[in-house]
Amino acid sequence: IIEELQEMSLYFFLILLVFYSGEIMWKEREAKLDEIHDASPQNAFVNLSSRFLGLLFLYAFVMLSLLVAGILFQILKGYYRFELNIYFFGFFLEIFPFLALYTLAALFFQALTGNKFMGILATLTFVILNLAIKSFGLEHVLLNFGGHILARYSDMNGYGHFLTPYLWVKTYWLLFGVLLLILASILMVNGKKTGLKKRWNRGLRHFGKPIKVLSVVCSGLFIGIGGYIFYNTNVLNEFWTKKKEDNFRADYEKTLKPFEYIPQPKIVAVNLTIDLFSSKRAYEIIGSYVVTNISCEPIREIHVQKLIESKVELTDVIFDRQAAINNMYEKYHYTIYSLSPALAPGDTIKMSYRQTLRPKGFETGDSGTDMVYNGTFFDNAVLPGFGYQRKYELQDEDDRNDYG
């Protein structure tokens, strides 16, 4: 029910946001009370903040109405497990921050343009551009206004490890939104002088010390939190744009495709000792394979492909006969071992290894659900394999044509 309510109400909320942000900014002028209002001794930032809070109360009232409607629908259907926390999270954790951020942007555009309808047009243009910004390669949450959406709520795991980065990113953009609100209070039309330069100069003259302090604090926190997010997403972890991933897949195929049909042994027995550390979303696997040469020719080289994941490490690879690293493609986590003597047809060999997953910091994209705080689910796809892996090729036909 909550997902249906979210989908049905989102466009309604956008309409409220775009048009009521214009109405609330220009209501005194349309009522011909602007001269009385502008002559009153009030702080522009406090004035604008009250309008912003008014819109937030409007959103909250509509959300509570939808929440009640959802409960009534459950009652009519004879389902009495209401789970109010899911309703609350669905609206006030997922949608409400989105509306707050875009409301701040809408108020800024209203103040910047100095015209109700131009402000509405600028807001709509901004929303459309921000939705399409990923197609221009700007996929990082530090550049994409508002950040990313929150992962779907799970009955077993709630929002899990996705909640922490979501909250950090929303805090980052809310601080930016406060800075927009401060700028809007400077540019807000007040009196008969509506030119941008005149409004700016007038706003600066009334820019009090408390607002200056607030601006400095918000700017410092904005930069600090942005740096912390960048450190987690780009230093402790790898950040992949779609273009970067497509380039990697194309290069993987061009570099390693010649190895695709080189005979490799087949796994006939597996022994794994797995230690799970759910609180850290980590694991350690000590495993061994018994592999057989099912081809008709000796295998002189074994090609080991590790799971391509920066947080996964493959170490202590040992064969029960002499083996040495012949070549290593570190970029693709692909290692070639030379055997001495070669593995004859029908012969077997044992390979032992240690594989660990140790997440660091947080990611803002799809950080995987193989390991979560209260459980795990993964299969042999995470274990090392032999030979060239087609799953790392470009899959989309148009992308394949673009990369030749």
Side-chain angles (χ1 to χ4, degrees):
I1 294 176
I2 184 64
E3 291 179 1
E4 293 293 331
L5 291 172
Q6 286 175 322
E7 292 178 5
M8 290 188 299
S9 64
L10 187 57
Y11 293 105
F12 176 69
F13 278 122
L14 284 174
I15 293 172
L16 286 180
L17 186 158
V18 172
F19 289 99
Y20 273 84
S21 62
E23 290 294 328
I24 206 167
M25 286 287 284
W26 299 96
K27 57 187 178 67
E28 291 87 6
R29 290 184 175 272
E30 293 183 349
K32 307 299 183 182
L33 297 173
D34 53 298
E35 292 186 10
I36 298 174
H37 175 268
D38 294 346
S40 60
Q42 56 180 327
N43 184 282
F45 179 76
V46 174
N47 179 18
L48 194 56
S49 297
S50 65
R51 298 168 194 252
F52 171 65
L53 291 176
L55 289 174
L56 294 188
F57 282 128
L58 174 62
Y59 304 149
F61 177 79
V62 175
M63 288 179 181
L64 291 174
S65 301
L66 291 170
L67 190 151
V68 172
I71 293 173
L72 291 175
F73 182 79
Q74 284 189 231
I75 294 173
L76 290 174
K77 293 296 182 179
Y79 186 75
Y80 302 104
R81 187 185 174 193
F82 299 120
E83 296 180 288
L84 296 179
N85 62 319
I86 298 179
Y87 279 104
F88 182 85
F89 292 148
F91 280 114
F92 289 94
L93 188 60
E94 296 181 31
I95 295 181
F96 195 75
F98 164 83
L99 294 174
L101 286 169
Y102 275 90
T103 300
L104 290 167
L107 295 177
F108 169 74
F109 286 120
Q110 288 291 337
L112 177 66
T113 57
N115 181 280
K116 174 182 175 180
F117 297 105
M118 289 300 296
I120 291 174
L121 179 61
T123 302
L124 289 172
T125 303
F126 175 74
V127 171
I128 294 170
L129 288 176
N130 195 56
L131 292 174
I133 197 171
K134 287 187 177 181
S135 60
F136 299 104
L138 301 176
E139 301 176 32
H140 204 287
V141 291
L142 296 179
L143 302 175
N144 195 339
F145 182 79
H148 61 299
I149 61 174
L150 186 57
R152 180 174 295 183
Y153 183 88
S154 165
D155 288 335
M156 292 182 63
N157 195 45
Y159 291 110
H161 61 282
F162 297 103
L163 183 59
T164 297
Y166 175 82
L167 293 177
W168 276 112
V169 171
K170 285 295 180 283
T171 301
Y172 167 82
W173 282 112
L174 282 172
L175 288 167
F176 180 77
V178 174
L179 294 174
L180 287 181
L181 194 65
I182 293 172
L183 287 174
S185 69
I186 296 174
L187 296 170
M188 191 175 178
V189 173
N190 194 317
K192 296 299 183 182
K193 297 179 180 180
T194 58
L196 180 61
K197 185 176 180 180
K198 293 179 179 179
R199 285 186 282 128
W200 176 258
N201 291 333
R202 182 189 180 282
L204 288 180
R205 287 197 301 269
H206 293 82
F207 197 61
K209 184 177 180 180
I211 306 302
K212 291 180 181 178
V213 173
L214 178 63
S215 302
V216 172
V217 171
C218 287
S219 298
L221 289 174
F222 175 72
I223 295 171
I225 292 176
Y228 178 70
I229 294 172
F230 183 85
Y231 176 72
N232 277 270
T233 57
N234 292 61
V235 178
L236 295 181
N237 294 283
E238 285 187 284
F239 178 73
W240 292 76
T241 62
K242 184 181 185 303
K243 184 176 181 180
K244 181 179 178 181
E245 181 180 346
D246 288 347
N247 284 330
F248 179 88
R249 290 179 178 274
D251 292 342
Y252 177 90
E253 184 172 352
K254 291 175 181 178
T255 304
L256 302 180
K257 190 72 170 178
F259 300 140
E260 182 175 13
Y261 297 107
I262 292 179
Q264 289 296 291
K266 180 179 180 180
I267 301 172
V268 294
V270 178
N271 183 31
L272 302 174
T273 300
I274 303 176
D275 291 321
L276 303 177
F277 309 95
S278 296
S279 62
K280 299 179 180 179
R281 298 181 49 244
Y283 65 67
E284 181 181 70
I285 301 174
I286 298 176
S288 64
Y289 293 158
V290 176
V291 297
T292 301
N293 181 1
I294 60 173
S295 69
C296 299
E297 56 185 86
I299 294 178
R300 293 180 172 82
E301 294 180 337
I302 291 185
H303 297 218
V304 178
Q305 174 70 74
K306 181 187 82 68
L307 178 70
I308 298 180
E309 181 68 54
S310 61
K311 299 183 293 291
V312 175
E313 293 184 0
L314 179 65
T315 58
D316 302 337
V317 177
I318 301 173
F319 296 89
D320 64 358
R321 67 177 64 185
Q322 187 176 346
I325 295 177
N326 182 32
N327 203 346
M328 180 182 292
Y329 298 86
E330 293 186 17
K331 179 180 178 180
Y332 310 111
H333 305 268
Y334 192 96
T335 307
I336 301 175
Y337 293 88
S338 295
L339 298 179
S340 179
L343 187 64
D347 197 3
T348 61
I349 189 175
K350 182 179 180 181
M351 183 189 93
S352 60
Y353 61 88
R354 180 193 301 269
Q355 180 168 301
T356 57
L357 168 66
R358 294 190 178 94
K360 298 178 181 178
F362 60 75
E363 298 175 273
T364 56
D366 181 12
S367 55
T369 55
D370 291 347
M371 289 291 300
V372 294
Y373 293 130
N374 67 341
T376 180
F377 177 80
F378 59 83
D379 55 23
N380 61 347
V382 306
L383 300 176
F386 297 117
Y388 178 83
Q389 304 291 316
R390 288 189 177 182
K391 64 182 179 181
Y392 294 125
E393 294 181 353
L394 281 169
Q395 304 299 321
D396 186 85
E397 197 61 37
D398 293 333
D399 291 337
R400 294 184 64 81
N401 291 332
D402 291 340
Y403 284 90

PDB file of all heavy atoms in Angstrom, residues 302-328:
ATOM      1  N   ILE A 302      46.913 -22.383 -15.522  1.00  0.00           N
ATOM      2  CA  ILE A 302      45.586 -22.234 -14.925  1.00  0.00           C
ATOM      3  C   ILE A 302      45.312 -20.738 -14.755  1.00  0.00           C
ATOM      4  O   ILE A 302      46.096 -20.012 -14.148  1.00  0.00           O
ATOM      5  CB  ILE A 302      45.485 -22.953 -13.566  1.00  0.00           C
ATOM      6  CG1 ILE A 302      45.540 -24.476 -13.787  1.00  0.00           C
ATOM      7  CG2 ILE A 302      44.200 -22.572 -12.852  1.00  0.00           C
ATOM      8  CD1 ILE A 302      45.326 -25.275 -12.523  1.00  0.00           C
ATOM      9  N   HIS A 303      44.190 -20.307 -15.298  1.00  0.00           N
ATOM     10  CA  HIS A 303      43.800 -18.901 -15.256  1.00  0.00           C
ATOM     11  C   HIS A 303      42.760 -18.722 -14.150  1.00  0.00           C
ATOM     12  O   HIS A 303      41.648 -19.269 -14.228  1.00  0.00           O
ATOM     13  CB  HIS A 303      43.208 -18.469 -16.596  1.00  0.00           C
ATOM     14  CG  HIS A 303      44.166 -18.540 -17.739  1.00  0.00           C
ATOM     15  ND1 HIS A 303      44.203 -17.612 -18.756  1.00  0.00           N
ATOM     16  CD2 HIS A 303      45.162 -19.445 -18.040  1.00  0.00           C
ATOM     17  CE1 HIS A 303      45.143 -17.911 -19.620  1.00  0.00           C
ATOM     18  NE2 HIS A 303      45.730 -19.046 -19.209  1.00  0.00           N
ATOM     19  N   VAL A 304      43.098 -17.967 -13.141  1.00  0.00           N
ATOM     20  CA  VAL A 304      42.205 -17.767 -11.990  1.00  0.00           C
ATOM     21  C   VAL A 304      41.600 -16.364 -12.060  1.00  0.00           C
ATOM     22  O   VAL A 304      42.324 -15.369 -12.124  1.00  0.00           O
ATOM     23  CB  VAL A 304      42.959 -17.938 -10.657  1.00  0.00           C
ATOM     24  CG1 VAL A 304      42.020 -17.666  -9.477  1.00  0.00           C
ATOM     25  CG2 VAL A 304      43.535 -19.356 -10.559  1.00  0.00           C
ATOM     26  N   GLN A 305      40.281 -16.322 -12.069  1.00  0.00           N
ATOM     27  CA  GLN A 305      39.550 -15.046 -12.083  1.00  0.00           C
ATOM     28  C   GLN A 305      38.901 -14.818 -10.721  1.00  0.00           C
ATOM     29  O   GLN A 305      38.007 -15.541 -10.320  1.00  0.00           O
ATOM     30  CB  GLN A 305      38.470 -15.061 -13.169  1.00  0.00           C
ATOM     31  CG  GLN A 305      37.551 -13.844 -13.170  1.00  0.00           C
ATOM     32  CD  GLN A 305      38.259 -12.577 -13.610  1.00  0.00           C
ATOM     33  OE1 GLN A 305      38.539 -12.396 -14.788  1.00  0.00           O
ATOM     34  NE2 GLN A 305      38.551 -11.698 -12.661  1.00  0.00           N
ATOM     35  N   LYS A 306      39.388 -13.794 -10.027  1.00  0.00           N
ATOM     36  CA  LYS A 306      38.769 -13.399  -8.757  1.00  0.00           C
ATOM     37  C   LYS A 306      37.521 -12.568  -9.032  1.00  0.00           C
ATOM     38  O   LYS A 306      37.404 -11.914 -10.077  1.00  0.00           O
ATOM     39  CB  LYS A 306      39.755 -12.594  -7.915  1.00  0.00           C
ATOM     40  CG  LYS A 306      39.218 -12.162  -6.556  1.00  0.00           C
ATOM     41  CD  LYS A 306      40.166 -11.226  -5.855  1.00  0.00           C
ATOM     42  CE  LYS A 306      40.033  -9.798  -6.335  1.00  0.00           C
ATOM     43  NZ  LYS A 306      38.755  -9.165  -5.955  1.00  0.00           N
ATOM     44  N   LEU A 307      36.587 -12.592  -8.109  1.00  0.00           N
ATOM     45  CA  LEU A 307      35.441 -11.703  -8.195  1.00  0.00           C
ATOM     46  C   LEU A 307      35.939 -10.264  -8.306  1.00  0.00           C
ATOM     47  O   LEU A 307      36.755  -9.809  -7.505  1.00  0.00           O
ATOM     48  CB  LEU A 307      34.567 -11.859  -6.943  1.00  0.00           C
ATOM     49  CG  LEU A 307      33.331 -10.965  -6.854  1.00  0.00           C
ATOM     50  CD1 LEU A 307      32.286 -11.391  -7.874  1.00  0.00           C
ATOM     51  CD2 LEU A 307      32.746 -10.998  -5.451  1.00  0.00           C
ATOM     52  N   ILE A 308      35.465  -9.560  -9.328  1.00  0.00           N
ATOM     53  CA  ILE A 308      35.908  -8.183  -9.524  1.00  0.00           C
ATOM     54  C   ILE A 308      35.159  -7.286  -8.546  1.00  0.00           C
ATOM     55  O   ILE A 308      34.043  -6.829  -8.791  1.00  0.00           O
ATOM     56  CB  ILE A 308      35.693  -7.735 -10.983  1.00  0.00           C
ATOM     57  CG1 ILE A 308      36.521  -8.608 -11.915  1.00  0.00           C
ATOM     58  CG2 ILE A 308      36.083  -6.267 -11.154  1.00  0.00           C
ATOM     59  CD1 ILE A 308      36.401  -8.257 -13.376  1.00  0.00           C
ATOM     60  N   GLU A 309      35.784  -7.079  -7.426  1.00  0.00           N
ATOM     61  CA  GLU A 309      35.214  -6.298  -6.329  1.00  0.00           C
ATOM     62  C   GLU A 309      36.375  -5.833  -5.465  1.00  0.00           C
ATOM     63  O   GLU A 309      37.143  -6.654  -4.958  1.00  0.00           O
ATOM     64  CB  GLU A 309      34.246  -7.151  -5.520  1.00  0.00           C
ATOM     65  CG  GLU A 309      33.571  -6.429  -4.373  1.00  0.00           C
ATOM     66  CD  GLU A 309      32.600  -5.364  -4.842  1.00  0.00           C
ATOM     67  OE1 GLU A 309      31.706  -5.690  -5.641  1.00  0.00           O
ATOM     68  OE2 GLU A 309      32.762  -4.215  -4.407  1.00  0.00           O
ATOM     69  N   SER A 310      36.515  -4.525  -5.302  1.00  0.00           N
ATOM     70  CA  SER A 310      37.687  -3.990  -4.602  1.00  0.00           C
ATOM     71  C   SER A 310      37.730  -4.414  -3.144  1.00  0.00           C
ATOM     72  O   SER A 310      38.811  -4.501  -2.549  1.00  0.00           O
ATOM     73  CB  SER A 310      37.697  -2.462  -4.697  1.00  0.00           C
ATOM     74  OG  SER A 310      36.535  -1.905  -4.084  1.00  0.00           O
ATOM     75  N   LYS A 311      36.568  -4.672  -2.554  1.00  0.00           N
ATOM     76  CA  LYS A 311      36.537  -5.040  -1.129  1.00  0.00           C
ATOM     77  C   LYS A 311      36.860  -6.515  -0.905  1.00  0.00           C
ATOM     78  O   LYS A 311      37.026  -6.948   0.230  1.00  0.00           O
ATOM     79  CB  LYS A 311      35.148  -4.740  -0.552  1.00  0.00           C
ATOM     80  CG  LYS A 311      34.747  -3.275  -0.624  1.00  0.00           C
ATOM     81  CD  LYS A 311      33.410  -3.020   0.021  1.00  0.00           C
ATOM     82  CE  LYS A 311      32.277  -3.664  -0.726  1.00  0.00           C
ATOM     83  NZ  LYS A 311      32.031  -3.021  -2.037  1.00  0.00           N
ATOM     84  N   VAL A 312      36.926  -7.293  -1.986  1.00  0.00           N
ATOM     85  CA  VAL A 312      37.192  -8.730  -1.887  1.00  0.00           C
ATOM     86  C   VAL A 312      38.658  -8.993  -2.186  1.00  0.00           C
ATOM     87  O   VAL A 312      39.198  -8.514  -3.189  1.00  0.00           O
ATOM     88  CB  VAL A 312      36.293  -9.521  -2.858  1.00  0.00           C
ATOM     89  CG1 VAL A 312      36.665 -11.000  -2.846  1.00  0.00           C
ATOM     90  CG2 VAL A 312      34.826  -9.346  -2.482  1.00  0.00           C
ATOM     91  N   GLU A 313      39.306  -9.742  -1.309  1.00  0.00           N
ATOM     92  CA  GLU A 313      40.708 -10.090  -1.498  1.00  0.00           C
ATOM     93  C   GLU A 313      40.854 -11.606  -1.619  1.00  0.00           C
ATOM     94  O   GLU A 313      40.234 -12.359  -0.858  1.00  0.00           O
ATOM     95  CB  GLU A 313      41.552  -9.590  -0.326  1.00  0.00           C
ATOM     96  CG  GLU A 313      41.637  -8.077  -0.216  1.00  0.00           C
ATOM     97  CD  GLU A 313      42.564  -7.635   0.901  1.00  0.00           C
ATOM     98  OE1 GLU A 313      43.138  -8.525   1.577  1.00  0.00           O
ATOM     99  OE2 GLU A 313      42.711  -6.420   1.088  1.00  0.00           O
ATOM    100  N   LEU A 314      41.664 -12.026  -2.571  1.00  0.00           N
ATOM    101  CA  LEU A 314      41.978 -13.445  -2.760  1.00  0.00           C
ATOM    102  C   LEU A 314      43.462 -13.629  -2.474  1.00  0.00           C
ATOM    103  O   LEU A 314      44.318 -13.064  -3.158  1.00  0.00           O
ATOM    104  CB  LEU A 314      41.643 -13.889  -4.184  1.00  0.00           C
ATOM    105  CG  LEU A 314      41.930 -15.345  -4.532  1.00  0.00           C
ATOM    106  CD1 LEU A 314      41.047 -16.280  -3.708  1.00  0.00           C
ATOM    107  CD2 LEU A 314      41.732 -15.599  -6.026  1.00  0.00           C
ATOM    108  N   THR A 315      43.773 -14.420  -1.463  1.00  0.00           N
ATOM    109  CA  THR A 315      45.166 -14.624  -1.048  1.00  0.00           C
ATOM    110  C   THR A 315      45.428 -16.110  -0.822  1.00  0.00           C
ATOM    111  O   THR A 315      44.516 -16.936  -0.842  1.00  0.00           O
ATOM    112  CB  THR A 315      45.477 -13.847   0.244  1.00  0.00           C
ATOM    113  OG1 THR A 315      44.574 -14.283   1.277  1.00  0.00           O
ATOM    114  CG2 THR A 315      45.307 -12.349   0.036  1.00  0.00           C
ATOM    115  N   ASP A 316      46.686 -16.425  -0.576  1.00  0.00           N
ATOM    116  CA  ASP A 316      47.116 -17.779  -0.221  1.00  0.00           C
ATOM    117  C   ASP A 316      46.650 -18.829  -1.230  1.00  0.00           C
ATOM    118  O   ASP A 316      46.192 -19.912  -0.863  1.00  0.00           O
ATOM    119  CB  ASP A 316      46.602 -18.164   1.179  1.00  0.00           C
ATOM    120  CG  ASP A 316      47.072 -17.212   2.252  1.00  0.00           C
ATOM    121  OD1 ASP A 316      48.097 -16.542   2.040  1.00  0.00           O
ATOM    122  OD2 ASP A 316      46.409 -17.121   3.309  1.00  0.00           O
ATOM    123  N   VAL A 317      46.760 -18.487  -2.518  1.00  0.00           N
ATOM    124  CA  VAL A 317      46.415 -19.464  -3.565  1.00  0.00           C
ATOM    125  C   VAL A 317      47.577 -20.445  -3.695  1.00  0.00           C
ATOM    126  O   VAL A 317      48.692 -20.074  -4.049  1.00  0.00           O
ATOM    127  CB  VAL A 317      46.140 -18.758  -4.905  1.00  0.00           C
ATOM    128  CG1 VAL A 317      45.853 -19.791  -5.988  1.00  0.00           C
ATOM    129  CG2 VAL A 317      44.979 -17.779  -4.762  1.00  0.00           C
ATOM    130  N   ILE A 318      47.291 -21.723  -3.391  1.00  0.00           N
ATOM    131  CA  ILE A 318      48.335 -22.751  -3.363  1.00  0.00           C
ATOM    132  C   ILE A 318      47.839 -23.992  -4.115  1.00  0.00           C
ATOM    133  O   ILE A 318      46.700 -24.439  -3.907  1.00  0.00           O
ATOM    134  CB  ILE A 318      48.705 -23.139  -1.920  1.00  0.00           C
ATOM    135  CG1 ILE A 318      49.203 -21.903  -1.157  1.00  0.00           C
ATOM    136  CG2 ILE A 318      49.765 -24.237  -1.909  1.00  0.00           C
ATOM    137  CD1 ILE A 318      49.419 -22.161   0.317  1.00  0.00           C
ATOM    138  N   PHE A 319      48.686 -24.533  -4.979  1.00  0.00           N
ATOM    139  CA  PHE A 319      48.379 -25.777  -5.679  1.00  0.00           C
ATOM    140  C   PHE A 319      49.215 -26.900  -5.063  1.00  0.00           C
ATOM    141  O   PHE A 319      50.269 -26.648  -4.473  1.00  0.00           O
ATOM    142  CB  PHE A 319      48.695 -25.648  -7.171  1.00  0.00           C
ATOM    143  CG  PHE A 319      47.858 -24.626  -7.880  1.00  0.00           C
ATOM    144  CD1 PHE A 319      48.276 -23.297  -7.947  1.00  0.00           C
ATOM    145  CD2 PHE A 319      46.650 -24.970  -8.458  1.00  0.00           C
ATOM    146  CE1 PHE A 319      47.509 -22.350  -8.601  1.00  0.00           C
ATOM    147  CE2 PHE A 319      45.889 -24.032  -9.110  1.00  0.00           C
ATOM    148  CZ  PHE A 319      46.303 -22.708  -9.188  1.00  0.00           C
ATOM    149  N   ASP A 320      48.734 -28.124  -5.210  1.00  0.00           N
ATOM    150  CA  ASP A 320      49.474 -29.240  -4.613  1.00  0.00           C
ATOM    151  C   ASP A 320      50.582 -29.748  -5.531  1.00  0.00           C
ATOM    152  O   ASP A 320      51.024 -30.894  -5.410  1.00  0.00           O
ATOM    153  CB  ASP A 320      48.522 -30.377  -4.217  1.00  0.00           C
ATOM    154  CG  ASP A 320      47.831 -31.008  -5.410  1.00  0.00           C
ATOM    155  OD1 ASP A 320      48.049 -30.550  -6.552  1.00  0.00           O
ATOM    156  OD2 ASP A 320      47.041 -31.956  -5.199  1.00  0.00           O
ATOM    157  N   ARG A 321      50.972 -28.934  -6.447  1.00  0.00           N
ATOM    158  CA  ARG A 321      52.180 -29.174  -7.245  1.00  0.00           C
ATOM    159  C   ARG A 321      52.808 -27.820  -7.532  1.00  0.00           C
ATOM    160  O   ARG A 321      52.204 -26.778  -7.263  1.00  0.00           O
ATOM    161  CB  ARG A 321      51.855 -29.919  -8.544  1.00  0.00           C
ATOM    162  CG  ARG A 321      51.041 -29.130  -9.547  1.00  0.00           C
ATOM    163  CD  ARG A 321      50.825 -29.914 -10.830  1.00  0.00           C
ATOM    164  NE  ARG A 321      50.027 -31.124 -10.566  1.00  0.00           N
ATOM    165  CZ  ARG A 321      49.763 -32.048 -11.487  1.00  0.00           C
ATOM    166  NH1 ARG A 321      50.249 -31.908 -12.727  1.00  0.00           N
ATOM    167  NH2 ARG A 321      49.043 -33.104 -11.193  1.00  0.00           N
ATOM    168  N   GLN A 322      53.989 -27.849  -8.061  1.00  0.00           N
ATOM    169  CA  GLN A 322      54.702 -26.594  -8.263  1.00  0.00           C
ATOM    170  C   GLN A 322      53.950 -25.696  -9.233  1.00  0.00           C
ATOM    171  O   GLN A 322      53.559 -26.106 -10.330  1.00  0.00           O
ATOM    172  CB  GLN A 322      56.111 -26.868  -8.786  1.00  0.00           C
ATOM    173  CG  GLN A 322      56.984 -25.625  -8.878  1.00  0.00           C
ATOM    174  CD  GLN A 322      58.408 -25.952  -9.304  1.00  0.00           C
ATOM    175  OE1 GLN A 322      58.816 -27.114  -9.283  1.00  0.00           O
ATOM    176  NE2 GLN A 322      59.162 -24.927  -9.680  1.00  0.00           N
ATOM    177  N   ALA A 323      53.735 -24.462  -8.809  1.00  0.00           N
ATOM    178  CA  ALA A 323      53.043 -23.486  -9.648  1.00  0.00           C
ATOM    179  C   ALA A 323      53.628 -22.110  -9.380  1.00  0.00           C
ATOM    180  O   ALA A 323      53.986 -21.783  -8.249  1.00  0.00           O
ATOM    181  CB  ALA A 323      51.546 -23.497  -9.374  1.00  0.00           C
ATOM    182  N   ALA A 324      53.723 -21.324 -10.424  1.00  0.00           N
ATOM    183  CA  ALA A 324      54.273 -19.972 -10.291  1.00  0.00           C
ATOM    184  C   ALA A 324      53.433 -19.021 -11.126  1.00  0.00           C
ATOM    185  O   ALA A 324      52.863 -19.399 -12.155  1.00  0.00           O
ATOM    186  CB  ALA A 324      55.732 -19.942 -10.757  1.00  0.00           C
ATOM    187  N   ILE A 325      53.365 -17.781 -10.667  1.00  0.00           N
ATOM    188  CA  ILE A 325      52.602 -16.777 -11.411  1.00  0.00           C
ATOM    189  C   ILE A 325      53.346 -16.430 -12.690  1.00  0.00           C
ATOM    190  O   ILE A 325      54.494 -15.990 -12.667  1.00  0.00           O
ATOM    191  CB  ILE A 325      52.393 -15.509 -10.556  1.00  0.00           C
ATOM    192  CG1 ILE A 325      51.524 -15.828  -9.331  1.00  0.00           C
ATOM    193  CG2 ILE A 325      51.744 -14.408 -11.384  1.00  0.00           C
ATOM    194  CD1 ILE A 325      51.337 -14.650  -8.401  1.00  0.00           C
ATOM    195  N   ASN A 326      52.681 -16.653 -13.809  1.00  0.00           N
ATOM    196  CA  ASN A 326      53.257 -16.384 -15.119  1.00  0.00           C
ATOM    197  C   ASN A 326      52.900 -14.978 -15.598  1.00  0.00           C
ATOM    198  O   ASN A 326      53.707 -14.285 -16.205  1.00  0.00           O
ATOM    199  CB  ASN A 326      52.782 -17.418 -16.129  1.00  0.00           C
ATOM    200  CG  ASN A 326      53.396 -17.209 -17.493  1.00  0.00           C
ATOM    201  OD1 ASN A 326      54.525 -16.754 -17.610  1.00  0.00           O
ATOM    202  ND2 ASN A 326      52.639 -17.523 -18.536  1.00  0.00           N
ATOM    203  N   ASN A 327      51.675 -14.580 -15.317  1.00  0.00           N
ATOM    204  CA  ASN A 327      51.215 -13.248 -15.727  1.00  0.00           C
ATOM    205  C   ASN A 327      50.077 -12.827 -14.802  1.00  0.00           C
ATOM    206  O   ASN A 327      49.319 -13.669 -14.318  1.00  0.00           O
ATOM    207  CB  ASN A 327      50.732 -13.263 -17.177  1.00  0.00           C
ATOM    208  CG  ASN A 327      50.778 -11.881 -17.814  1.00  0.00           C
ATOM    209  OD1 ASN A 327      50.917 -10.880 -17.106  1.00  0.00           O
ATOM    210  ND2 ASN A 327      50.669 -11.822 -19.131  1.00  0.00           N
ATOM    211  N   MET A 328      49.983 -11.533 -14.572  1.00  0.00           N
ATOM    212  CA  MET A 328      48.929 -11.036 -13.689  1.00  0.00           C
ATOM    213  C   MET A 328      48.327  -9.765 -14.289  1.00  0.00           C
ATOM    214  O   MET A 328      49.045  -8.797 -14.552  1.00  0.00           O
ATOM    215  CB  MET A 328      49.493 -10.751 -12.296  1.00  0.00           C
ATOM    216  CG  MET A 328      48.439 -10.221 -11.304  1.00  0.00           C
ATOM    217  SD  MET A 328      49.153  -9.849  -9.683  1.00  0.00           S
ATOM    218  CE  MET A 328      49.576 -11.497  -9.120  1.00  0.00           C
TER     219      MET A 328
END
